[in-house]
Each structure stands twice: as C-alpha cells, then as structure tokens.
Amino acid sequence: MKKISYYLMFIIILGALIVSFWVYKKYFEPVEPNILNFTVEVGNINEVVRARGEVTAQKEFDLEFPFSGTIKNVFVKEGEEVKSGKALLKLDAKDFNLELQALESKFNQSQFNLEKLVKGATKEEIQLAKTKVANAEQTLSDTEKNLINTTKKANIDINNLYNDINDILNDAYTKADDAVNKQTTSLFSESNPNDFKLTFNTSNQSLKSSVELERLSIKNELDALKSEINNLSESTNLDDILVLTKNRLNKMRDFLLNLNNAVDDSVGITSSLENTYKGYVNTGRTNINTAISNINSQIQLISSQKATNESNIFTAKSKVNAAKSGLSLAKENLTIKETGTRKEDIQIARAQLNEIKNQIEIIKEKIRKSTIYAPGDSIITKIWFEKNEIFRPGSTAISLSTSGNKITADISELDISKIRDVNGNDVLITLDAFPNKKFKGKVVFINPKEIIKDGDKYYSIDVYMSPYTEKIRSGMSADLILNISLKKILLKYRCLRLFKKMVNLL
C-alpha cells in the first residue's frame, strides 16, 4: 500500500512538471521571430485606346498643319529621301512664343499672389492697404470735381458760340439786303410790290422772265430771314436757324449768278453801263459769299466744340468710373487683409493658377505642332507651300511616298485628347487577314474636323504602318491598340511573421 502511494505521488509530480513545461513553452519562453523576406514585382501598366480601322491603297501621306500660319522654314526638297522623325516644314511660331512668355509671366505672378494669400497679410501690408483706400478716396473726389468743372466749361464754351449766332445772322441779313435791295436796285424797276422788271432787254426772253420771277422770290426770302431774326427766343433751335439761313443765302447767290448771266445777254445798253451793272452784281455776290462763309465757320465751330465737349466729358466720366472701381478694389483688398485670407480665395487662386498652367501646355503643344515631321522613312513627292506663304487648315502642306501602308480609324472625342500627331503614339496592329501576326505603326495625323456617327463625335486619324513582307491589301480591316502611356511598377513587400503564428494559421 505504501509502495502504491509512492507511485501515485511520482505520477502527480511528473504530471505537474510536464504541465509546467508546457505552460512555460506556450506562454513564457521567448521565441525568436522567423523573418521571411520576399519581393512581389508587377510588370508594365499600359494605358491604351482601342479602335477599328481600315487599310487604304494610297501609299502617299498628305500631311498638314492643324492651324493656319505663315511658312517659316522648308527643310527639304522634292525628291529628297528622309528618315523617320526628320523635320519637313515649320510655321512661324513667333506669336505663340510671345503668348507663351506672357502666360509664363502671368503664371509666375499668380503663383506669387497665391503664396501671399497662403501666408496672409502683415501689419505693414494692412497699413499700406489703408493708405491705398485713402488715396483712392481722394482720387475719386478729385475726378468728381474735375467732371463738374469739365461740364461747366463745356456749357460755357458752347453757349459762347451760340451767343454769337444772333450777330452772325444780323450780319448775314445786312449783307443779303445790301446785295439784293441796294446793289441790284438799278437793274430792276418795280411797278408794284409783286412785279419786278429788268431795266434792260436781253436776247433770251426766257432768261429775262426767270430772273424777274426770282427777284420776287428772293425778296420773300429776305423778308422771311428778317422775321426769323426778330423772333429769336430761348426756345429757338439755333442749329436749325443757321442751316435755314444758309439755304436762303444760297438761293440769293444763285439769283445773282443768273442776274449776271442776264447782264451778259443784255441788248441795247452801252458797255460802260453793262460793266457798271456787273460791278453791282459782283459786289452783291461777294457779300453773300462772305455771309455764307461766316455761317459755315460757325456751324463747324459748334460741331467741333460739341465733339470736344463730348470727348472731354466722356474722359472725365471714365476717370470717375475708374476711380470708383479703384476705391472698391482698395476697400475689398483692405477687408481681405484685415479679415484674413478665406479658403475659398485660396482655392480660386489655385484654380486660376492651374488654368494658366493648362493654357501654357496648350500653347506649348501648338508650338510643337508648328513643325511637321516625317512619320517614317520616305521620299518627298510634293511640297505645296513655299517660305512666307500662308497656310490654312484643310490644305495639304507636303506629300510623302513611303514603302509602308496607311490605316485610317475614327477615335471618340472622349479619347482623342490622348492621341498625339506630333511624335505620334505607337500603335499595335492586328489585321483580320493575318490574325496571328502583330504589326507596328505610328499616328501621323489627326483630322481637326469632327465626324458625327450615331449622334456621337469622332475624329479621323491616319496611322503609318511599317512595311512588311505580307501582302497587305487595300480595304483590309484592322484592330488598333494605341499606346497612351507606359509605366513600369516595382512593388516590394517585407513580411514579418512569427513561425508559431504561421503554424497556428495552418
């Protein structure tokens, strides 16, 4: 019995030792980690555009510029063999370069302004903004006073000219009365107020009768002129009176001219008397011409003064409006500096900066496209333009003959922006006739005019296909894969795992 107790105690102790060892191994014994290093490599990521095209029989490529311009350089001659990538023609890109410089300057300024917005205003800048507001307020006050003074001066100047009209009209009447009623009195006999007869005969009775009737008409014109002068008032349109008086004087001048013709045609008077009559008529005509000249001068002075007044007042108003805008901008700038830059302003400034950056890229692309390059090894068959000639889209600039083929395809407007015709995209080609064969090509031209298909917009492209031994024929259908971008990605992962945990997972 005592022996059995020893065995039992031994078994218990042994079991306790085993359990203690297991607990130690499981929970307390430090385990060195088993580090497993491995690298996962992912190959090329290639963005592509797929399209369906067709082989054309023509082996000549007609190339053109996508926009108009002046031919600056012709680098090749007809019949010359050229290698792929050779520059052929170049447009004058001076305007593009100037625009690029302006945009780059604008970009730098906008970037500087954005940095200032992000930093916020200093005390000195706030004080400077307050000074600008005060200066803008003073400028507005000065321009408003200038507008008032300019308007007053304009009114005085034009009124002075209108005030002279009464004297001019009275002088015109005096000269007209002298010409009609004094200088020519001896040439007419008046049996009654409405009947005037020449005091001499003429060989042309019709002329004599016409002059006698005109004398009565001119008397009425003179009486009407006197009445108009006497009835001048503040409501009278002086511009109209000047024109009306000028017309009356023109009639008097015509009358005197006809009267002079009648004297030339006189019969039965001495040459001395004829000369005396002519002297009276010429004196009258001189007086009338002087009066007409005075009126014309006044009309021109008034017209010129009105134009000057209008220009001066417009300029003064423009300065007031500019001063108001300047004050508004100065106050807005002060408010921004005092309250701090808003996030919205920073976002707007960044958006404007990105917009300028996009415009710069567009201009750079135009500069790149101002040169036509050979799409492949070829022969120059025809140069359609000479140096300094004007090119317009839709015309062929240069024709090439190649040993390859051309494939045309239509690309959706959603993808056309990804396609290049300068140093064009590489193209992988599969022909239905050779399904197990891959061919290579390159985009050489994008038609700028859109094509409407089922309501959607597409743009036609030409793809140069390198020469191959296969008998490629016109009309063969082709699947095109246009490479847009190619990126090589290498990813490395370092994995740390405890061996025991891996065992547990298993």
Side-chain angles (χ1 to χ4, degrees):
M1 187 70 180
K2 189 175 183 180
K3 189 176 182 179
I4 294 174
S5 298
Y6 286 135
Y7 284 128
L8 182 58
M9 186 178 295
F10 175 77
I11 291 172
I12 292 172
I13 292 172
L14 181 61
L17 291 174
I18 293 173
V19 171
S20 298
F21 180 76
W22 179 83
V23 171
Y24 171 77
K25 284 290 187 181
K26 184 172 182 63
Y27 296 104
F28 299 102
E29 183 182 28
V31 179
E32 291 294 329
N34 185 13
I35 299 175
L36 179 61
N37 292 318
F38 61 93
T39 299
V40 177
E41 294 185 355
V42 180
N44 296 335
I45 296 179
N46 191 10
E47 182 184 1
V48 299
V49 171
R50 297 179 182 272
R52 186 75 170 166
E54 184 176 294
V55 178
T56 62
Q58 183 181 359
K59 292 188 178 181
E60 287 188 352
F61 285 83
D62 294 332
L63 305 181
E64 65 176 272
F65 296 100
F67 42 78
S68 60
T70 303
I71 302 295
K72 182 179 181 181
N73 294 108
V74 179
F75 300 106
V76 293
K77 298 179 181 179
E78 292 182 359
E80 180 180 345
E81 295 185 4
V82 295
K83 296 293 184 180
S84 176
K86 165 74 175 177
L88 307 178
L89 294 178
K90 180 178 177 61
L91 291 179
D92 187 353
K94 178 177 63 177
D95 292 341
F96 291 146
N97 288 322
L98 291 175
E99 187 174 357
L100 178 61
Q101 292 176 7
L103 285 172
E104 288 176 340
S105 176
K106 186 177 180 181
F107 178 85
N108 293 333
Q109 183 62 45
S110 297
Q111 193 171 39
F112 175 75
N113 293 338
L114 175 59
E115 292 173 355
K116 288 184 65 177
L117 282 175
V118 173
K119 291 179 180 178
T122 63
K123 291 182 179 180
E124 292 78 8
E125 289 175 332
I126 292 175
Q127 184 58 45
L128 178 61
K130 289 180 179 180
T131 302
K132 287 183 177 179
V133 170
N135 292 340
E137 289 174 340
Q138 184 61 47
T139 300
L140 177 59
S141 176
D142 293 342
T143 56
E144 288 175 337
K145 290 178 182 178
N146 178 64
L147 175 59
I148 294 173
N149 293 335
T150 300
T151 304
K152 286 181 179 179
K153 184 179 184 303
N155 291 332
I156 291 172
D157 291 341
I158 197 68
N159 287 335
N160 287 339
L161 291 175
Y162 278 120
N163 290 336
D164 294 338
I165 289 179
N166 188 63
D167 293 337
I168 292 173
L169 292 177
N170 279 300
D171 180 70
Y173 175 78
T174 299
K175 287 180 169 56
D177 180 64
D178 179 77
V180 174
N181 289 332
K182 295 179 182 178
Q183 298 296 334
T184 63
T185 299
S186 60
L187 280 71
F188 289 92
S189 63
E190 184 177 358
S191 57
N192 61 66
N194 295 321
D195 187 13
F196 292 89
K197 299 294 183 181
L198 285 173
T199 58
F200 56 89
N201 292 320
T202 63
S203 60
N204 187 338
Q205 189 61 35
S206 174
L207 176 61
K208 181 175 182 298
S209 299
S210 175
V211 170
E212 292 171 345
L213 290 174
E214 278 188 281
R215 177 64 183 84
L216 176 61
S217 174
I218 292 305
K219 178 181 179 299
N220 293 333
E221 292 286 345
L222 194 60
D223 292 340
L225 175 58
K226 182 62 176 176
S227 175
E228 289 163 358
I229 294 173
N230 292 335
N231 293 320
L232 289 178
S233 65
E234 292 183 358
S235 62
T236 303
N237 190 319
L238 296 178
D239 294 310
D240 292 343
I241 287 295
L242 282 176
V243 174
L244 182 58
T245 301
K246 178 182 173 182
N247 292 336
R248 295 190 192 283
L249 293 174
N250 284 331
K251 292 179 181 179
M252 296 176 191
R253 183 173 59 183
D254 293 341
F255 160 70
L256 292 173
L257 177 61
N258 290 334
L259 181 57
N260 187 71
N261 293 336
V263 174
D264 286 338
D265 198 50
S266 63
V267 176
I269 63 173
T270 64
S271 60
S272 175
L273 182 59
E274 180 180 341
N275 291 332
T276 299
Y277 284 168
K278 283 186 176 181
Y280 293 152
V281 173
N282 288 333
T283 300
R285 290 172 65 187
T286 300
N287 289 338
I288 294 296
N289 285 331
T290 301
I292 292 174
S293 177
N294 292 338
I295 290 177
N296 282 334
S297 297
Q298 196 67 11
I299 291 174
Q300 291 176 358
L301 286 173
I302 291 173
S303 176
S304 176
Q305 188 62 54
K306 284 181 177 179
T308 300
N309 290 348
E310 183 178 352
S311 175
N312 291 341
I313 292 174
F314 176 80
T315 300
K317 286 182 177 179
S318 298
K319 290 181 178 179
V320 171
N321 293 332
K324 288 180 178 178
S325 298
L327 177 58
S328 177
L329 290 174
K331 287 182 176 180
E332 182 180 349
N333 184 50
L334 175 59
T335 300
I336 291 174
K337 292 186 181 302
E338 287 180 333
T339 59
T341 306
R342 299 178 304 172
K343 292 182 179 179
E344 294 84 353
D345 295 331
I346 295 177
Q347 291 173 350
I348 292 172
R350 283 175 176 163
Q352 292 173 343
L353 195 65
N354 289 332
E355 176 62 24
I356 297 172
K357 187 176 181 181
N358 291 336
Q359 293 176 4
I360 289 175
E361 291 303 318
I362 291 173
I363 293 300
K364 286 183 176 179
E365 183 66 16
K366 287 184 177 180
I367 293 175
R368 287 192 291 268
K369 289 185 176 181
S370 64
T371 302
I372 294 179
Y373 298 90
D377 296 348
S378 51
I379 298 175
I380 308 300
T381 58
K382 181 68 176 178
I383 301 174
W384 297 93
F385 288 85
E386 297 180 358
K387 186 177 180 179
N388 296 326
E389 286 189 329
I390 303 298
F391 173 85
R392 290 182 175 81
S395 305
T396 300
I398 189 168
S399 297
L400 312 176
S401 177
T402 69
S403 57
N405 293 279
K406 182 171 70 175
I407 298 177
T408 59
D410 297 331
I411 305 297
S412 169
E413 65 173 331
L414 302 177
D415 295 322
I416 195 62
S417 61
K418 305 173 184 177
I419 312 301
R420 306 183 307 273
D421 55 355
V422 176
N423 190 23
N425 304 71
D426 292 328
V427 182
L428 186 63
I429 304 166
T430 303
L431 298 174
D432 292 354
F434 307 96
N436 298 322
K437 179 70 176 180
K438 302 294 183 183
F439 303 90
K440 294 182 179 180
K442 183 179 286 291
V443 176
V444 294
F445 178 70
I446 301 174
N447 195 321
K449 185 173 179 58
E450 74 276 8
I451 302 170
I452 305 300
K453 296 168 63 176
D454 298 329
D456 295 326
K457 291 182 180 179
Y458 290 81
Y459 293 84
S460 177
I461 66 170
D462 288 344
V463 175
Y464 169 77
M465 185 176 177
S466 302
Y468 289 92
T469 57
E470 286 78 0
K471 293 183 179 180
I472 300 174
R473 293 180 170 82
S474 171
M476 287 184 173
S477 299
D479 288 317
L480 309 179
I481 299 178
L482 290 78
N483 293 318
I484 305 303
S485 62
L486 180 65
K487 296 180 180 179
K488 293 184 177 181
I489 307 298
L490 182 63
L491 302 178
K492 294 185 178 181
Y493 296 94
R494 188 169 186 178
C495 301
L496 176 62
R497 293 291 185 270
L498 293 176
F499 176 78
K500 190 172 183 179
K501 290 184 178 181
M502 293 180 61
V503 172
N504 290 339
L505 289 174
L506 294 174

